């Protein structure tokens, strides 16, 4: 008797612990542990896979550097013909007027731009040209950082958007997976996530023609919405290329409602110390000129500077709806993406379909379970009852482990559970058929049960290990829903080995420990 | 209660030629169908494009939908009713590359509502870019390949008790696959080569159980692919999951028969011929085979009957798999072991 009791104690412990983990799924908040996570296909929501264009981050950082190099050369009084960023070779080309300055340049560059390495040099007469680029290691570094930073920025934006339990993860080298459960307005979410949100303040060039923009300027457009027809048309502006101030100095951005102007919303931004100093200087130097506020190369507004603005705040007006203004404030607060992102994969499940799927999954699982349970009772009678207990414990354990691991239950996951019903029953069938055989061979009940379990165990292990191999491969290579299937099936197979081999045997042994018992219906 | 009376002795092995002809016929049909349809029909997951499920509040004609879709530049939609006819649910697929994030779904919804005068509810959207779809396709094939590889190692180790040989064989296999992959061949060809190499290797090593098991797995996968091709169903990620599960299931069944064969060999002291011995093992496990297949089938069927879309395809693949898996463990795996063993006992091949 003592030998068997530990099996029963563990069995009871397994059931109690499992029930503890599963309970919150049915009645939320009875204790602190979490309920089972439902996949997006079951509760509705959006799954996005983004690709961070990290090459652009490298280009942008070189482009910015080329501007800084010019400043450096001027400071160190090195005469140059041109400093330009070459997009094709991802490098900076510096052309000096005199070869004599070569050493001076190298020294300055080493001191200030140590990450750049010389890749090529050439001289023609007295002129000297040197090409500099990032070494491969630095390129990888910038790419990696751009992905990390993009992840952080997107996380901040989504937090501000107010999605319950979003899941934002890195995927491969430059991908980001975003899961937003229960989201309703998918377009708005995509806009919010995809916006680069590079805010720049640039001066409007008043002289010059839009058809042939003079050097150092570019044409950018503002979307003008006609108040009456509601149609929008692009209005061109001639804008100086040089950005006077960018969005990285913003500390806050808020929506305010303009009571004097038809209750139109606008966004008020606050700069940090450095930003407000620069903003004060620009506005002071450019009174009566127009300052364009540009987001992702689109002009939002281009007000005339009336006076020097101190105090470190500015406002962006435009034809916003309240939601648009709110989203703009969110992206400005969260900062710009270091590189643009492209949506590679988008999966959306409407909440109604999600609810449908869960009903479908649960109902079909229950129907299947019910038929199997009845069948086992009819076919094996009393032993069938024991197998059914094992089956129910099995399902309970799967639920508990899902909750424990914080894994996500998806519709294929439910399919995995249904398949587990088959596998779990199979283990018991193997054992019972064996016991029947042994009984037919004339063994006593106890001997038949013992050898039935022993022989069948080897077979069950063999069969289940191969299933485990394929589920582990599925888990390794699968994504999303397939992974969900692999998770439940793996847990299910492991649980079924426990319930079929140990749990049911414990029950048998308990029953057989009564010396009076000579038969059992099987 | 019992389905199979003890002492039942069907002559399974004796019918192996009929079964072989039947299997070959199915495989030929699969190949013809694949050639005729120029390859498997991949879903959005593997070729990229979009799949959208929508619901209208009144009856719609597929032609109306098509017209509306043309307006937003989708010329090649495939439309399919999903769910019950009175629900007005449609699944729309297109392989045109659609960039996410450009207001595509909103645009479509608006255009559809304008043209059809119905209120449209978007139930689900799947947009997969070309890069992702390529990656997914590669991953899916790799998954099938690795599953087969590991299973082969396990079986030949477990049943022939020659772990060394089986690890050596898999080393050779990985080496060959690596060498071939240097020549930039496409993944399906690579996997084809890997499978042929492993079959040849098990043949040469005389690992009859591993050979039988792997051949029966390939058999099952081909036939499932054949059913999908003939019925013009789409391959998507869940179907690949189903195929891997079929591999697991079919193997499960095969192993149980093999386990019994091994046991019968041990207890048989020259009383039975190998064919009789195989038959006895299959008959002894028949009760279990029928019962388990039946119960698994029963538990899957409700999901197939009630499900729609990809879940229906998934469960359909499973149902085919249960049938072929049960059949192949007897008539493919069992028959191959039998054929190899009798051939060997007549004319012993070189010592391995």
């Amino acid at each position: 008797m003592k030998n068997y009791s530990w099996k029963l104690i563990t069995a009871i412990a397994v059931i109690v612990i499992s029930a503890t983990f599963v309970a919150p799924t049915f009645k939320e908040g009875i204790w602190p542990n979490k309920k089972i996570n439902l996949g997006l296909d079951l509760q509705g929501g959006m799954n996005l896979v983004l690709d961070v264009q990290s090459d652009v981050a490298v280009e942008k950082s070189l482009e910015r550097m080329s501007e800084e190099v010019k400043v450096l050369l001027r400071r160190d009084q090195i005469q140059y013909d041109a400093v330009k960023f070459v997009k094709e070779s991802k490098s900076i080309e510096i052309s000096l007027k005199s070869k004599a300055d070569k050493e001076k340049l190298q020294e300055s560059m080493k001191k200030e731009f140590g990450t750049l390495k010389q890749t090529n040099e050439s001289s023609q007469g007295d002129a000297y040209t040197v090409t500099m680029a990032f070494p491969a290691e630095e390129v990888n570094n910038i790419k990696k950082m751009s992905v990390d930073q993009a992840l952080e920025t997107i996380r901040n934006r989504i937090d501000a958007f107010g999605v319950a339990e979003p899941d934002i993860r890195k995927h491969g080298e430059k991908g980001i997976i975003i899961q937003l459960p229960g989201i309703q307005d998918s377009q708005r979410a995509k806009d919010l996530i995809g916006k680069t949100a590079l805010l720049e303040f640039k001066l409007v060039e008043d002289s010059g023609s839009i058809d042939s923009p003079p050097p150092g300027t570019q044409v950018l457009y503002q979307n003008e919405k006609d108040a009456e027809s509601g149609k929008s048309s692009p209005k061109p502006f001639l804008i100086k290329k040089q950005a006077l101030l960018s969005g990285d100095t913003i500390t806050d951005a808020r929506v305010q409602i303009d009571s004097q102007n038809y209750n139109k919303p606008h966004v008020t931004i606050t700069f940090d110390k450095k930003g407000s100093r620069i903003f004060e200087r620009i506005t002071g130097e450019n009174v009566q000129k127009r300052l364009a506020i540009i987001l992702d190369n689109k002009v939002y507004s281009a007000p005339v500077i009336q006076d020097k603005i101190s105090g470190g705040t500015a406002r962006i007006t435009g034809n916003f709806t309240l939601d648009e203004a709110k989203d703009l404030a969110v992206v400005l607060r969260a900062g710009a993406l270091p590189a643009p992102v492209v949506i590679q994969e988008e999966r959306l499940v409407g909440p109604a379909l999600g609810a449908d799927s869960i009903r479908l999954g649960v109902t079909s699982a229950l129907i299947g379970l019910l038929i199997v349970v009845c069948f086992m009772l009819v076919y094996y009678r009393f032993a069938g009852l024991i197998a059914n207990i094992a089956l129910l414990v099995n399902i309970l354990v799967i639920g508990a482990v899902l909750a424990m691991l914080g894994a996500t239950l998806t519709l294929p996951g439910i399919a995995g559970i249904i398949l587990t019903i088959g596998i779990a029953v199979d283990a018991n069938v193997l054992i019972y058929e064996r016991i029947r055989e042994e009984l037919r061979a004339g063994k006593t009940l106890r001997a038949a049960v013992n050898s039935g379990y022993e022989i069948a165990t080897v077979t069950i292990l063999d069969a289940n290990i191969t299933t485990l191999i394929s589920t582990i491969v599925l888990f390794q290579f699968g994504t999303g829903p397939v992974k969900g299937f692999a998770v439940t099936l793996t847990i299910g197979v492991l649980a079924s080995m426990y319930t079929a081999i140990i749990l049911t045997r414990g029950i048998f042994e308990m029953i057989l420990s009564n010396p009076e018992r000579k038969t059992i219906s099987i | 209660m019992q389905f199979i009376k003890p002492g039942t002795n069907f002559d399974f092995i004796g019918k192996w030629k009929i079964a072989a002809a039947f299997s070959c016929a199915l495989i030929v049909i699969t190949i013809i169908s694949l050639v005729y349809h120029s390859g498997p029909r991949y879903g959005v997951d593997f070729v990229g494009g979009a799949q959208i499920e929508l619901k209208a509040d009144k009856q719609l004609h597929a032609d109306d939908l098509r017209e509306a879709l043309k307006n937003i530049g989708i010329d090649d939609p495939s439309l399919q009713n999903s769910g019950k006819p009175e629900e007005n649910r449609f699944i729309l697929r297109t392989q045109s590359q659609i960039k996410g994030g450009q207001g595509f779904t909103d645009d479509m919804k608006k255009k559809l509502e304008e043209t059809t005068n119905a209120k449209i509810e978007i139930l689900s959207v799947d947009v997969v870019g070309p890069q992702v779809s390529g990656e997914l396709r590669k991953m899916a094939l790799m998954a099938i390949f690795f599953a087969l590889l590991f299973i082969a190692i396990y079986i030949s180790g477990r049943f022939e008790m020659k772990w060394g040989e089986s690890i050596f064989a898999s080393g050779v296999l990985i080496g060959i696959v690596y060498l071939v992959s240097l020549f930039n061949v496409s993944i399906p060809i690579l996997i084809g080569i890997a499978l042929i190499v492993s079959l040849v290797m098990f043949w040469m090593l005389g690992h009859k159980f591993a050979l039988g098991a792997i051949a029966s797995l390939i058999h099952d996968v081909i036939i499932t692919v054949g059913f999908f091709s003939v019925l013009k169903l789409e391959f998507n990620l869940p179907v690949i999951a189903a195929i891997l599960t079929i591999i697991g299931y079919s193997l499960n069944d095969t192993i149980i028969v093999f386990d019994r064969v091994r046991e019968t060999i041990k207890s048989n002291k020259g009383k039975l011929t190998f064919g009789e011995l195989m038959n006895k093992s299959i008959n002894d496990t028949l009760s279990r085979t029928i019962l388990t297949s039946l119960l698994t089938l029963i538990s899957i069927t409700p999901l197939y009957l009630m499900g729609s879309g990809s879940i229906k395809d998934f469960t359909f693949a499973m149902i085919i798999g249960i049938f072929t898996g049960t059949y192949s463990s007897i008539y493919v795996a069992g028959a191959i072991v039998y054929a190899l063993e009798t051939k060997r006992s007549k004319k012993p091949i070189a010592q391995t």
Side-chain angles (χ1 to χ4, degrees):
Chain A
M1 183 69 196
K2 262 184 191 158
N3 284 337
Y4 314 134
S5 56
W6 69 267
K7 272 181 199 160
L8 280 172
I9 292 167
T10 10
I12 290 164
V14 165
I15 293 169
V16 170
I17 292 170
S18 301
T20 315
F21 274 98
V22 169
T25 304
F26 295 100
K27 191 171 189 271
E28 218 172 328
I30 40 174
W31 39 70
N33 73 279
K34 282 199 187 145
K35 57 180 196 170
I36 297 174
N37 248 335
L38 291 186
L40 294 185
D41 55 346
L42 293 181
Q43 58 171 322
M46 184 155 84
N47 181 82
L48 291 174
V49 179
L50 303 178
D51 190 45
V52 181
Q53 311 275 286
S54 48
D55 282 340
V56 178
V58 178
E59 282 167 19
K60 270 186 10 194
S61 105
L62 276 172
E63 205 172 355
R64 207 171 43 238
M65 253 183 192
S66 67
E67 293 301 320
E68 286 166 21
V69 168
K70 278 184 204 164
V71 177
L72 173 82
L73 295 182
R74 256 176 263 146
R75 191 196 72 190
D76 290 354
Q77 291 171 334
I78 300 170
Q79 301 276 316
Y80 67 92
D81 271 331
V83 176
K84 59 177 190 222
F85 158 67
V86 187
K87 199 176 169 187
E88 292 72 38
S89 58
K90 295 213 171 66
S91 59
I92 299 176
E93 222 174 76
I94 305 167
S95 312
L96 296 186
K97 281 201 158 63
S98 149
K99 220 190 305 195
D101 283 337
K102 183 179 155 183
E103 247 127 69
K104 210 166 152 192
L105 171 77
Q106 273 171 351
E107 202 177 302
S108 303
M109 290 299 287
K110 207 172 189 178
K111 216 157 61 190
E112 300 285 331
F113 299 100
T115 49
L116 284 174
K117 290 276 171 293
Q118 183 178 322
T119 55
N120 203 0
E121 63 176 335
S122 67
S123 49
Q124 207 172 29
D126 200 31
Y128 169 76
T129 302
V130 60
T131 311
M132 305 199 91
F134 288 127
E137 199 181 305
E138 182 62 21
V139 169
N140 286 339
N141 220 354
I142 293 175
K143 283 186 177 173
K144 198 180 159 288
M145 264 171 57
S146 72
V147 178
D148 289 343
Q149 207 183 325
L151 188 80
E152 203 45 49
T153 308
I154 289 173
R155 187 170 288 149
N156 288 337
R157 287 181 187 178
I158 289 171
D159 282 347
F161 190 54
V163 178
E165 301 190 37
D167 185 9
I168 305 154
R169 268 172 298 131
K170 251 170 113 164
H171 169 64
E173 256 170 45
K174 42 185 233 168
I176 295 177
I177 293 185
I178 303 171
Q179 292 199 333
L180 306 174
I183 194 131
Q184 300 278 347
D185 193 343
S186 62
Q187 194 53 47
R188 196 175 149 199
K190 274 192 289 184
D191 287 344
L192 190 77
I193 291 165
K195 233 183 215 129
T196 309
L198 178 63
L199 182 74
E200 290 166 311
F201 291 86
K202 293 178 177 180
L203 280 178
V204 176
E205 179 67 59
D206 287 318
S207 57
S209 126
I210 284 173
D211 300 322
S212 56
T217 66
Q218 59 188 337
V219 180
L220 297 176
Y221 295 90
Q222 177 179 22
N223 253 349
E224 271 214 328
K225 235 185 253 169
D226 192 279
E228 274 167 35
S229 67
K231 277 187 184 158
S232 55
S233 53
K235 177 184 172 192
F237 280 93
L238 195 58
I239 307 274
K240 282 193 175 158
K241 267 187 180 168
Q242 195 201 355
L244 301 172
L245 181 62
S246 70
D248 52 5
T249 56
I250 292 176
T251 55
D252 197 14
R254 290 189 180 282
V255 180
Q256 278 175 341
I257 307 291
D258 196 339
S259 56
Q260 284 170 345
N261 191 6
Y262 312 107
N263 285 330
K264 267 192 180 167
H266 66 260
V267 177
T268 304
I269 49 181
T270 314
F271 297 108
D272 62 9
K273 264 194 196 146
K274 183 180 152 211
S276 27
R277 222 170 34 236
I278 300 172
F279 194 63
E280 193 177 335
R281 182 171 54 78
I282 315 169
T283 49
E285 283 169 5
N286 297 293
V287 174
Q288 290 312 317
K289 285 184 184 161
R290 283 203 288 174
L291 183 68
I293 301 170
I294 299 161
L295 187 73
D296 293 343
N297 282 332
K298 254 190 260 152
V299 178
Y300 265 71
S301 55
V304 178
I305 303 169
Q306 301 294 352
D307 206 348
K308 181 158 103 174
I309 304 172
S310 54
T313 59
R315 46 152 65 173
I316 305 174
T317 55
N319 279 309
F320 305 127
T321 64
L322 189 58
D323 275 347
E324 279 166 357
K326 273 186 190 158
D327 292 349
L328 180 63
V330 165
V331 294
L332 289 176
R333 269 205 306 274
L337 289 180
V341 292
V342 177
I343 298 180
Q344 287 280 346
E345 189 185 333
E346 177 195 342
R347 294 176 194 273
L348 173 76
V349 177
L353 188 65
D356 269 0
S357 307
I358 197 164
R359 205 173 314 122
L360 158 80
V362 171
T363 326
S364 47
L366 285 179
I367 294 176
L369 184 67
L370 197 71
I371 300 174
V372 170
V373 164
C374 292
F375 195 97
M376 289 296 279
L377 276 179
V378 172
Y379 199 86
Y380 289 118
R381 276 170 282 176
F382 184 70
L385 181 70
I386 298 175
N388 287 337
I389 293 172
L391 195 56
L392 297 180
V393 174
N394 193 347
I395 293 170
L396 185 69
V397 170
I398 297 177
V401 176
L402 282 178
M404 224 184 290
L405 297 177
T408 307
L409 184 65
T410 56
L411 193 53
I414 295 182
I417 295 179
I418 294 176
L419 194 64
T420 308
I421 297 176
I423 291 174
V425 167
D426 180 48
N428 278 114
V429 169
L430 275 168
I431 295 167
Y432 291 172
E433 288 299 313
R434 213 37 192 243
I435 295 177
R436 281 181 170 184
E437 259 180 67
E438 302 289 316
L439 284 174
R440 275 198 300 271
K443 285 195 183 167
T444 64
L445 180 59
R446 196 157 317 180
V449 167
N450 280 339
S451 66
Y453 269 95
E454 260 146 44
I455 300 170
T457 300
V458 182
T459 313
I460 293 169
L461 287 179
D462 270 340
N464 285 346
I465 285 171
T466 45
T467 308
L468 277 181
I469 290 174
S470 65
T471 58
I472 288 166
V473 170
L474 258 187
F475 183 76
Q476 188 59 37
F477 288 95
T479 51
V482 175
K483 223 170 197 158
F485 175 71
V487 170
T488 52
L489 196 55
T490 308
I491 302 170
V493 169
L494 292 174
S496 85
M497 288 203 260
Y498 164 76
T499 53
I501 299 172
I502 298 171
L503 183 80
T504 57
R505 190 170 191 183
I507 299 176
F508 267 108
E509 281 167 353
M510 188 180 68
I511 293 164
L512 296 178
S513 65
N514 176 4
E516 303 284 292
R517 195 174 268 281
K518 290 281 185 294
T519 56
I520 199 165
S521 59
I522 185 166
Chain B
M1 188 179 162
Q2 268 174 327
F3 287 143
I4 304 293
K5 294 272 169 292
T8 308
N9 200 0
F10 293 113
D11 181 18
F12 288 105
I13 290 301
K15 309 269 187 317
W16 76 270
K17 280 181 182 150
I18 301 170
F22 178 64
S23 289
C24 286
L26 286 184
I27 290 168
V28 169
I29 291 172
T30 300
I31 293 169
I32 291 173
S33 171
L34 281 179
V35 171
Y36 179 73
H37 292 119
S38 48
R41 196 178 136 135
Y42 290 117
V44 241
D45 291 331
F46 298 127
V47 284
Q51 175 171 323
I52 292 143
E53 188 167 3
L54 50 86
K55 189 176 170 182
D57 67 344
K58 61 175 206 181
Q59 203 165 357
L60 283 187
H61 256 289
D63 287 342
D64 294 342
L65 281 173
R66 255 191 207 106
E67 197 52 48
L69 289 168
K70 225 177 214 164
N71 287 336
I72 43 173
I74 300 175
D75 292 329
D76 62 335
S78 94
L79 281 167
Q80 192 193 325
N81 263 309
S82 84
K84 299 181 197 85
E86 67 271 17
E87 282 181 318
N88 288 310
R89 270 164 71 160
F90 288 91
I91 292 183
L92 179 166
R93 297 187 182 90
T94 173
Q95 293 194 356
S96 343
Q97 286 306 330
I98 286 150
K99 278 207 184 123
Q102 287 185 330
F104 168 72
T105 31
D106 272 16
D107 226 39
M108 193 185 68
K109 187 178 162 185
K110 222 160 58 194
K111 283 272 162 48
L112 287 180
E113 287 185 336
E114 274 168 23
T115 351
T116 58
N117 267 325
K119 211 174 142 10
I120 306 262
E121 190 188 343
I122 305 271
L123 295 174
S124 75
V125 177
D126 288 277
V127 179
V128 181
Q131 197 187 331
V132 172
S133 59
E135 233 165 77
L136 289 178
R137 196 165 48 217
K138 200 169 148 190
M139 290 284 243
L141 287 165
M142 292 297 271
I144 293 181
F145 169 66
F146 276 106
L148 286 174
L149 176 70
F150 291 137
I151 286 168
I153 298 173
Y154 180 77
I155 300 192
S156 71
R158 187 74 184 80
F159 282 89
E160 326 276 353
M161 287 302 156
K162 292 169 189 156
W163 286 101
E165 274 182 19
S166 92
I167 288 166
F168 165 76
S170 54
V172 172
L173 185 60
I174 290 170
I176 291 175
V177 168
Y178 176 72
L179 280 180
V180 176
S181 71
L182 293 180
F183 292 97
N184 251 336
V185 297
S186 69
I187 301 262
I189 295 176
L190 194 66
I191 290 177
I193 292 173
L195 289 178
I196 292 168
V197 169
S198 51
L199 287 181
V200 169
M201 214 147 41
F202 287 134
W203 171 273
M204 279 163 49
L205 291 170
H207 289 194
K208 53 182 185 292
F209 287 109
L211 186 65
I214 297 290
S216 93
L217 294 186
I218 298 170
H219 170 269
D220 295 348
V221 172
I222 291 176
I223 287 174
T224 310
V225 170
F227 266 96
F228 269 69
S229 177
V230 170
L231 298 174
K232 293 195 208 156
L233 297 173
E234 278 188 4
F235 281 91
N236 46 32
L237 277 178
V239 172
I240 297 297
I243 288 182
L244 279 172
T245 318
I246 292 169
I247 292 181
Y249 180 85
S250 159
L251 201 68
N252 196 311
D253 229 42
T254 308
I255 281 182
I256 284 159
V257 173
F258 282 2
D259 247 5
R260 200 42 152 322
V261 172
R262 197 173 47 176
E263 193 190 318
T264 320
I265 291 175
K266 265 189 220 154
S267 61
N268 175 55
K269 301 204 169 62
K271 278 175 278 179
L272 299 171
T273 66
F274 194 73
E276 286 166 341
L277 190 147
M278 289 282 300
N279 264 333
K280 182 174 170 2
S281 313
I282 295 170
N283 277 296
D284 282 348
T285 48
L286 197 57
S287 202
R288 173 265 157 200
T289 306
I290 292 174
L291 202 54
T292 296
S293 302
L294 196 68
L295 287 177
T296 315
L297 209 57
I298 286 173
S299 58
I300 294 273
T301 309
L303 200 56
Y304 172 71
L305 293 178
M306 298 197 287
S308 69
S310 68
I311 205 72
K312 205 176 181 84
D313 295 348
F314 172 82
T315 41
F316 179 68
M318 292 291 311
I319 289 171
I320 300 171
I322 291 170
F323 280 109
T324 59
T326 310
Y327 161 85
S328 72
S329 43
I330 297 171
Y331 285 110
V332 181
I336 285 178
V337 170
Y338 169 74
L340 276 184
E341 180 62 31
T342 42
K343 197 174 171 191
R344 171 146 68 169
S345 51
K346 274 182 210 153
K347 184 178 67 179
I349 52 171
Q351 282 294 310
T352 48

